[in-house]
Amino acid sequence: MTGSDQVATDDDAAELIAQLRELAGADPADVRQVVAEVLAALDRAAGGALRDHLPEAIRLDAGLGPAASARP
């Protein structure tokens, strides 16, 4: 990242985790859907590279399909 780009901090990560935990208390299925959508968006932004770093179960939950290394 360069000068004017924002950098995520440990505080940002802690805040996100707290928000997800708060959501989970309300309805864990909703949180799972939100996380799946976020992971899918991050994977798209990374050109499909994120899926290679996720466990298979999470990839499938997020609708990302197989890792590139698993494709023929």
Side-chain angles (χ1 to χ4, degrees), residues 5 17-18 27 31 35 39 44 53 58 68:
D5 293 336
I17 290 168
D27 187 350
V31 174
V35 170
L39 289 173
R44 284 192 305 274
H53 302 282
I58 293 174

Side-chain angles (χ1 to χ4, degrees), residues 2-66:
T2 59
S4 65
D5 293 336
Q6 286 188 319
V7 177
T9 66
D10 288 343
D11 289 341
D12 294 330
E15 181 179 339
L16 178 59
I17 290 168
Q19 290 173 355
L20 289 173
R21 284 186 176 147
E22 186 176 318
L23 283 172
D27 187 350
D30 286 346
V31 174
R32 188 178 191 129
Q33 180 63 35
V34 169
V35 170
E37 290 173 11
V38 168
L39 289 173
L42 290 171
D43 185 62
R44 284 192 305 274
L50 178 63
R51 70 188 69 193
D52 292 334
H53 302 282
L54 297 173
E56 181 180 11
I58 293 174
R59 283 195 316 270
L60 296 176
D61 278 353
L64 298 176

